Amino acid sequence: MQLAQDVRTRVYKFGNKTADGNSTMKNLLGGKGANLAEMSAIGIPVPPGFTITTEACTEYNELGEDILIGMIKEEVEKALQNIEEIMGANFGDEENPLLISVRSGARVSMPGMMDTVLNLGLNDTVVKGLIAKTGNERFAWDSYRRFIQMYGGVVLGMKPESKDDIDPFEEIIEHLKEKREIQLDTQFTVQDLRDLVYDFKDVVKKRTGNDFPTDPWQQLWGAIIAVFNSWNGNRAVYYRNMHGYPADWGTAVNVQAMVYGNMGDNSGTGVCFTRDAATGENIFNGEYLINAQGEDVVAGVRTPQQITKVGSMRWAELAKIEEADRAENYPSLEELMPSIYEELFRYQDMLEKHYRDMQDMEFTIQDGKLWILQTRNGKRTGAAMVKIAMDLLKDGSITDKEALLRIEPNKLDELLHPVFDPNALKRATIIAQGLPASPGAATGQIVFFADEAKKFRNTILTRIETSPEDLEGMNLAKGILTSRGGMTSHAAVVARGMGKCCISGAGALKINYKKRILTVGDKEYHEGDWISLNGSTGNIIEGKVATRIPELSGEFAEVMELADKYATMDVRTNADTPKDAKAARNFGAKGIGLARTEHMFFEVDRIKAMREMILADTVKGRKHALEELLPMQREDFEGIFEAMQGLPVTVRLLDPPLHEFVPHQLATQKELAEDMHISLSAVKNKVADLQEFNPMLGHRGCRLGNTYPEITEMQTRAIMEAALNLKAKGIESKPEIMVPLVGTVNEFLEQEKVIRKTANTVFEEYDDTVDYLVGTMMEVPRATIMAEEIAKHADFFSFGTNDLTQLVFGYSRDDASKFLPIYLEKGILKVDPFEVLDREGVGKLIKMGTCHGRRTKPELKVGICGEHGGEPISVEFCFEQGMNYVSCSPFRVPIARVAAAQAALKAPERK
Amino acid sequence: MQLAQDVRTRVYKFGNKTADGNSTMKNLLGGKGANLAEMSAIGIPVPPGFTITTEACTEYNELGEDILIGMIKEEVEKALQNIEEIMGANFGDEENPLLISVRSGARVSMPGMMDTVLNLGLNDTVVKGLIAKTGNERFAWDSYRRFIQMYGGVVLGMKPESKDDIDPFEEIIEHLKEKREIQLDTQFTVQDLRDLVYDFKDVVKKRTGNDFPTDPWQQLWGAIIAVFNSWNGNRAVYYRNMHGYPADWGTAVNVQAMVYGNMGDNSGTGVCFTRDAATGENIFNGEYLINAQGEDVVAGVRTPQQITKVGSMRWAELAKIEEADRAENYPSLEELMPSIYEELFRYQDMLEKHYRDMQDMEFTIQDGKLWILQTRNGKRTGAAMVKIAMDLLKDGSITDKEALLRIEPNKLDELLHPVFDPNALKRATIIAQGLPASPGAATGQIVFFADEAKKFRNTILTRIETSPEDLEGMNLAKGILTSRGGMTSHAAVVARGMGKCCISGAGALKINYKKRILTVGDKEYHEGDWISLNGSTGNIIEGKVATRIPELSGEFAEVMELADKYATMDVRTNADTPKDAKAARNFGAKGIGLARTEHMFFEVDRIKAMREMILADTVKGRKHALEELLPMQREDFEGIFEAMQGLPVTVRLLDPPLHEFVPHQLATQKELAEDMHISLSAVKNKVADLQEFNPMLGHRGCRLGNTYPEITEMQTRAIMEAALNLKAKGIESKPEIMVPLVGTVNEFLEQEKVIRKTANTVFEEYDDTVDYLVGTMMEVPRATIMAEEIAKHADFFSFGTNDLTQLVFGYSRDDASKFLPIYLEKGILKVDPFEVLDREGVGKLIKMGTCHGRRTKPELKVGICGEHGGEPISVEFCFEQGMNYVSCSPFRVPIARVAAAQAALKAPERK
């Protein structure tokens, strides 16, 4: 073994536009090392350096420090010499010193492990060389004290062990600040920084028993070994175990020359993008600062200048700066250093062509020489994402599959909802934060009651929580804000369905309905006050903020076409009205996966009949009230079926507890009593009777239909009559009747019997028939366990993952806000299971339900109609289970379509 | 095949104290046929008859009517002739007619199929023979019209098809009653009955197109074929499919002579028992009527007489009848027909010896000849069950295993709770019915508030529902009555734990707390009025009813000893106080499987500190309040550990939503505000904050410990300090700390970390340690799915089947009363899943959880602590899963012990 290893290369050099390695060698060189090699190899001037392989790390773990160093010493020395030659500087030199960085780099990014030491090579004499070279005494001493601090932490183990522990270096800094009565690091004098260096070295001696190493080579070997050790550090082991990465992967070590942009007016630093990150236009752009370090660009103390002249002039126009002033004080890099600019332009073009995507690059100019520090795929807006992917497809850079996989489905959301004007937003005061329950932007005047949603032209309906009674008002309001409830609360679900902006569960809000006051901290807002909601971030903003509605681009349509080309799983929509149904069809829905019939009962003229039905004590009384509801419900279905033009429509039978339909306010109760000619106390008694301890687990779903079969009869009749009426007009309908909350085979059988019997009666009356299916919602854990039996009778399964998640976890989505945020913060949960489908738990039951159901009935149609149906990771899971469709709210349809297509594209990879 | 079949016997005769078959031939002769053969073979005079085999039924199905009749005709005719000879009467004879019955009889009892035709052989001339023979014209015509009605229904297919259909015979009867202006069948005159016979025959002709068959042989073949056909009838097929019985089992046909006890003073009928069904004493007893049919004994029109002289004299004493009067008018059979009595006495002895159990026999004396119609194991009280089993064991009739298997565990309940004095009960008025939530009898004066439970000497706490705040009052009351909530509501669970009588969910009760009035229909009961509860039946009784406490007999202790001999699975108890713990130990509990720590917080002096803890806004504030609770909680544990003397004690950490602890009444809220020096509105806000939509799915269980780890710390400290304090006194403790409501691995890990850390701190402080386990409640479906992972860390699993059932079905046990009764009535559910563990659904997750858990950790301790732990069928299920223990309320411990032993005894059968 020794022999074989001895001929191995353990150190890979890069720099001077060549490299020993390349991007395919991630396993050996780590991700970072491979990328640096790749950039160098294609001719990009990265600061030179070398990578010690991951194999060397494994050898180190097996053989120990001495043997490892013995094996790589010669190679490292040669590689360092190579850096010195390229940089024209020498490691440990007192006049023209080379400083280096040492970084870890595993084959995948591991945030728990990344240890870095910068400015390595400094000591009391070398620091003088740095002063000489930069002419900046303050910078040199600051670099030195930072180096000791980092090295002390990473290499010498002087990191605080827990949050309660104090960092010994920070303690010294704080102490000095107190003594000098200053607050900021930047207020330190050169002398202060020198004092810090000496104090730091003292504390190192005290803590470790050894002097801080002054020999640069000793520093380097210490750092290399520290990086190898970090592979078996607590954080790294935890992270590896969590992700199942094997211990023998090891980490590489990257050693690289430091370059500085603050070496005078011939130096500088900047960031640039190969395309416009906001619009996606193919325009090179970026910002830079002369004689500055990377931090200075970020810190915002100095105003960065534009890289291109065009960009610079546009910037000046917006900032109202005269051209002369601009050219004098804020010249572009293109004007100031034309040859450097030209070089940079060439590199950005090379890099984009090489990586075939928009690049976000960092560069430094050191003493007139351009170094590219880093390049990566640039962050971009949803609009830019779509445009860039399609542009790259059109110019032949990428294939259509690649273009499709470049789309982050969730980012499409940005294109479908109003957004705030970015300029208006700059002056906004955020007063509180809630859950980003339904995306988009809304601005309006506060109202506290749904029936007052029309009180002003633009209103924000502001409530503790919403209930189905508030539907009409929610529809009228511009946005919805609640102080309670989670991402799947009533407000959130309904708002997403409507494509309306909503923030839910903003716990800091105290709402006093009586006084019509919203209190946040010590601020009060009254009815009629303006507020604005950012439904995509959860920010609640004081006052009016201008919004704009984005237009759907041609590229968007092209993405959708691509999605259709590759998707094999259908996307349906959750829609309860012809309007929603049409919107969803326009977004490409292939049917309705969930039409909630109860939403139809809340309209003013219907709720009365519904309440009479509920208050009736006899079957006869109920039937009478149901007869009144029949024509209205039939009309609803006619509208929806017509809107869907022959696409399948899954109609869920009445689901919510009856309690939600009865009036809870005295005035309305009185009115109802009078209308029905019964006593007020009778109404009150019934309302009290319907009250439940846990309505989620109460008398609802098919438990209603099974105790009051006449409701199921009326709804089936309405569906069948609607379909037959349309058939007479030549319009096709495909009703799929869905029984909710089934947990036992008999629960389904009883309902199926009523449905089929009623349908047959209607068919006889019309002397005509329509094809229809009868299936079940799978949302009770027991149903998934009994799937094999249920599938004997059901035509389809539709997983209702909202309720299924509630029951599998035992979490009430309306109450979970008390502990879910803490669980997420503590890492007890990685994601909110109401947002992203829980594969391990809920997913296992879905898998079981699907497999067992299809074991009985191979052709069983299976879909999902919970909120997860519009969440890309969950959509992928549904695809993996072989579902026929996912169903989501209309505005999520495009997202689900792309997610479904991507899942199909990724599928062969998994095999 | 034909040839082989031709030599088969297809008709098996019995009667005259011999038989062709015996009880081992159930598959061939059906259950009924085999039993009749057995009785006859051992020398019991059963009315003679014959059985056509189940194989003949299968042949009929394959070959059809004609071939079958051809094959069995000769055998049937010979067998009938045998009956005629034994009975000395002739089939179809006009003077001394033999009448027969024809019944189905499969190898197992099938309630859906049983078709019976009685009095077969009657026609217009034979009826005259019957009149001549019995001298009872009315009886003869009534028998005739009943025969036509039964034959018409069973053989000629004139049964109503659905509930809405009208029975054509009943229609005629109703019509005649209207015409004659009478209400009862018994008011018909002989002429009426004759008219009915003619009208019945008319309707048969009209409906079937054929005359009613007058030839007895035609009648007989029709009936035989009809019974064969019934095997493939809708009801039978449905029943067979439901139970998985194969179609080729077939049914046998039993043809038997009719005997009549109403043929004059030399005839009679009666029932008798080989032992006393109430006490189990070995005393022959029973009742009879001279010149009567079986119905007459049941109808209660005539007072039945005692069979033995001793019994008769005791009866007269109770009824205050003089001996002369008795001997004259109510003589015993022993006195009236000494030789018949002697014969009967001999048979009862034979039958009990043969069947080795107390027998319940029916007999008829026809014209001086005794016929035994039926014998079966007699129904008995719990006390009799225990005594009879032990007596039979002692006299060597049965083995100890058999004796143990003779115990119906649930019936032991009767022995453990007060019962009503049966005489006092006779005069009781039942005012309503609720769920029999906790067995026993209670009588007391109504109080409506828990803190008024001491207002009278004996009180019945009468509430809409109870909450943990009511605990102390519940303990003081004699019985608990609620108008809401199911078998596992708070009231029910707590009452069973206390062994206190409780009726829950009595929906007919309207309770007005303000006016302190209980209304049932139009009756009103006020505070202080007496009512009585039968917790074993659910009957609510007006006024005071005397109760008595049964004493536990020596035989009871013997049964328990037997249980311990054979049980392999332990029985623990759910107990929260030293008192309950001691009671359970006395009943033989092998440890505590569930100690609910929250019950300890409701006592007056503790609830205050608890509330302060809840109202504290900071960790510091909470810790301060928890410090006050610590010594009290430690004392609780010391008491419980001491009571259990080294047996394991599973302590569940705080579980219920905090909401249950805060005051909801204004006065108490004010008090708390003053005590805590905070504003009333602060208290009100917190109470409102804690309100949840679905508390069952809310901020409770380990979600409390994970958001407020200081609670877990305090509880762990209390447990460990208690154990160490006892250890210092030489008393051993085995604490097993249980984390409730775990759904994810991390939820458990976080809690385990806090527990182990706290325990270590306490151990350091005491410089001593105790062994303890940390495990988890398995009650969230997700936990059962993740069992493999959780078992890596947990020392034990305890299935909390109450909550698991709630979540797997999605039923709130507090709200299920709205639909569960209807589900049970409609057969959608066969049993209440909160009473009997649902094997198919919940059971599958338990099985999965146990298997997967033990796959990771073979030595994993597994138990159950839900209500099902005391339900025998569920206990058997737990045994089958290989659980280490079941845990139940103290008064169910004996039941669970017997159930566990029986499960172990039955186990080899299953293999």
Side-chain angles (χ1 to χ4, degrees), chain A residues 20-196:
Chain A
D20 299 340
N22 62 55
S23 67
T24 64
M25 298 163 78
K26 279 197 176 135
N27 291 358
L28 188 66
L29 303 181
K32 190 174 186 65
N35 283 338
L36 284 166
E38 180 82 6
M39 277 169 74
S40 189
I42 66 168
I44 303 296
V46 295
F50 57 86
T51 302
I52 307 171
T53 64
T54 56
E55 285 177 0
C57 178
T58 307
E59 289 172 316
Y60 162 74
N61 288 327
E62 284 168 8
L63 310 169
E65 185 173 336
D66 293 343
I67 295 180
L68 191 269
I69 293 180
M71 289 198 296
I72 64 174
K73 193 159 185 281
E74 202 178 321
E75 278 184 274
V76 167
E77 281 168 1
K78 264 194 202 155
L80 193 76
Q81 200 180 329
N82 182 52
I83 302 177
E84 288 175 330
E85 280 162 18
I86 295 169
M87 294 302 293
N90 293 312
F91 193 46
D93 194 292
E94 292 178 28
E95 280 169 20
N96 183 20
L98 168 71
L99 300 186
I100 55 177
S101 64
V102 180
R103 291 183 175 90
S104 67
R107 62 168 80 175
V108 292
S109 168
M110 283 177 56
M113 196 193 64
M114 231 18 176
D115 273 334
T116 297
V117 181
L118 301 179
N119 302 320
L120 189 140
L122 276 171
N123 59 28
D124 291 357
T125 50
V126 170
V127 73
K128 285 173 196 153
L130 191 61
I131 295 167
K133 204 171 167 182
T134 61
N136 189 336
E137 206 176 356
R138 192 175 193 292
F139 162 73
W141 282 104
D142 196 38
S143 299
Y144 192 12
R145 72 99 185 164
R146 283 174 195 269
F147 165 58
I148 299 174
Q149 201 171 346
M150 283 175 117
Y151 196 91
V154 173
V155 182
L156 305 176
M158 291 174 67
K159 272 181 214 167
E161 275 178 26
S162 72
K163 277 187 193 167
D164 305 331
D165 245 28
I166 297 157
D167 182 317
F169 301 110
E170 288 299 329
E171 200 177 12
I172 292 167
I173 291 173
E174 287 311 309
H175 191 249
L176 183 62
K177 277 185 190 168
E178 268 174 42
K179 199 171 120 191
R180 299 264 295 103
E181 291 179 357
I182 57 173
Q183 267 84 46
L184 302 173
D185 287 9
T186 49
Q187 293 172 299
F188 284 133
T189 63
V190 171
Q191 186 54 49
D192 289 336
L193 293 167
R194 293 174 75 142
D195 287 350
L196 282 179

Side-chain angles (χ1 to χ4, degrees), chain A residues 372-506:
Chain A
I372 306 294
L373 304 184
Q374 181 166 285
T375 190
R376 57 189 162 198
N377 294 342
K379 288 207 166 61
R380 63 205 79 177
T381 63
M385 169 185 76
V386 167
K387 179 161 174 52
I388 291 170
M390 288 301 119
D391 282 353
L392 288 171
L393 167 60
K394 280 172 213 161
D395 74 17
S397 297
I398 56 177
T399 66
D400 61 355
K401 289 183 186 178
E402 282 171 319
L404 193 51
L405 288 169
R406 292 276 172 89
I407 304 297
E408 262 182 74
N410 272 331
K411 292 196 87 161
L412 293 175
D413 224 19
E414 292 173 24
L415 305 181
L416 304 170
H417 299 280
V419 291
F420 285 124
D421 182 323
N423 292 315
L425 208 54
K426 281 179 188 160
R427 294 176 296 272
T429 309
I430 295 167
I431 55 174
Q433 173 88 20
L435 299 170
S438 180
T443 198
Q445 291 171 274
I446 296 174
V447 293
F448 291 102
F449 299 95
D451 55 6
E452 295 176 0
K454 276 196 291 196
K455 201 159 184 172
F456 309 102
R457 195 188 157 99
N458 294 302
T459 54
I460 302 291
L461 179 60
T462 306
R463 297 201 47 83
I464 297 172
E465 71 242 4
T466 63
S467 77
E469 289 184 68
D470 302 331
L471 267 187
E472 211 172 327
M474 293 169 79
N475 203 9
L476 290 166
K478 287 285 169 208
I480 296 147
L481 172 61
T482 71
S483 60
R484 280 207 217 156
M487 289 294 288
T488 45
S489 63
H490 177 265
V493 172
V494 170
R496 281 199 291 277
M498 293 175 171
K500 191 173 297 283
C501 170
C502 172
I503 295 177
S504 65

